[in-house]
Amino acid sequence: MLPSSPAERLSQVRARIAAAAVQSGRDPATVSLLAVSKTFPATAVAALAGFGQNAFGENYVQEAVAKISVLRADWPALQWHFIGPLQSNKTRDVAAHFDWVHGIDRLKLAQRLSEQRPPELPSLQVCLQVNVDAEASKSGLRPEEAGALAAAVAALPRLRLRGLMGIPAPRQGLVAQRVPFAQLRALRDAIAAEHGLALDTLSMGMSADLEAAVLEGATIVRVGSAIFGQRPPHRA
Ligand SMILES: *Cc1c(COP(=O)(O)O)cnc(C)c1O
């Protein structure tokens, strides 16, 4: 059962992250919580911002831009992360409104975001999305493609490559859940070493598997339903 108020759910998720961090000998402050607010209204984001949550994840460009515009005046310091699949024709809005993009899986997308990033804004922080479960999901790069794309993206002027993101298929139990996260971490380490890149980010873990992700080195966990409750369906 979910606790009833968003504030209680937020502190419960923070406690889950902290417990997993401590269990793996990590400082809980090295794991950031991204609250995934897709399909929830700006008022729900503002309520959480009032409890000190400052990073939010969104999947749908138009919905997100509307929310960001509404919240900008009262909450100028919120950080916005685009975590959904991104079509090339929507990159301009993402480059103009977001701080991070987690789902880069082709060079064309990265080039457009770099070209379209407004000059007055800091570099756009990006992660490459790797499909660590080839059979289960279609989005993301194959692991063997990630090194070459990382090197190319790292060379783009208006992007800053931070690391890798993954969404493994659901698994039961901590032991099974840790396997794909460990693979993603090993891949990040290998790419960083081979290409001489400082990749400090592993964006992995959601409501159902965040402990496993933190145990395997997640630096950003993306949590929606455990904070906001069950999502209403998205209307395009
Ligand atoms: C929706 C979504 C999440 C949050 O999922 P929950 O299971 O609700 O925590 C995390 N990451 C991505 C990429 C998502 O699309």
Side-chain angles (χ1 to χ4, degrees):
M1 278 290 286
L2 286 170
S4 50
S5 80
E8 285 174 307
R9 294 193 295 249
L10 181 66
S11 61
Q12 191 184 66
V13 167
R14 285 176 176 158
R16 286 174 61 192
I17 293 169
V22 167
Q23 193 188 331
S24 55
R26 302 176 60 198
D27 177 352
T30 61
V31 186
S32 351
L33 172 59
L34 183 63
V36 178
S37 46
K38 64 183 177 203
T39 75
F40 289 98
T43 50
V45 173
L48 282 187
F51 299 118
Q53 176 62 33
N54 61 9
F56 292 89
E58 291 283 338
N59 287 49
Y60 310 107
V61 178
Q62 272 174 292
E63 178 198 316
V65 168
K67 245 181 260 185
I68 293 168
S69 308
V70 165
L71 290 162
R72 195 70 90 187
D74 286 341
W75 300 99
L78 296 185
Q79 223 185 49
W80 293 96
H81 295 233
F82 191 81
I83 62 172
L86 181 54
Q87 294 164 313
S88 295
N89 62 356
K90 302 236 173 105
T91 50
R92 189 173 296 280
D93 275 339
V94 170
H97 294 280
F98 282 83
D99 303 291
W100 283 69
V101 176
H102 291 227
I104 303 290
D105 60 0
R106 55 199 193 277
L107 185 57
K108 181 83 195 154
L109 209 52
Q111 285 169 332
R112 288 177 65 94
L113 289 167
S114 182
E115 281 160 17
Q116 294 168 347
R117 182 66 166 173
E120 69 277 12
L121 294 181
S123 296
L124 187 62
Q125 313 293 301
V126 301
C127 291
L128 305 188
Q129 182 175 351
V130 177
N131 184 357
V132 278
D133 272 320
E135 337 77 88
S137 147
K138 300 220 162 19
S139 58
L141 293 153
R142 283 183 284 124
E144 60 273 23
E145 301 170 316
L149 184 60
V153 169
L156 293 172
R158 301 289 291 132
L159 303 188
R160 177 151 172 241
L161 179 64
R162 298 294 296 270
L164 303 182
M165 179 269 221
I167 316 175
R171 288 167 169 78
Q172 293 299 319
L174 200 60
V175 172
Q177 289 173 350
R178 288 178 69 160
V179 172
F181 294 137
Q183 289 169 347
L184 200 61
R185 182 185 55 180
L187 182 64
R188 187 275 310 261
D189 293 346
I191 292 171
E194 186 183 340
H195 297 275
L197 299 170
L199 302 179
D200 63 6
T201 299
L202 283 171
S203 166
M204 58 190 197
M206 317 201 298
S207 294
D209 56 14
L210 69 87
E211 284 87 354
V214 171
L215 289 170
E216 292 299 343
T219 62
I220 300 179
V221 293
R222 309 176 312 268
V223 180
S225 49
I227 296 173
F228 289 98
Q230 205 190 343
R231 271 185 293 279
H234 168 69
R235 280 185 228 91

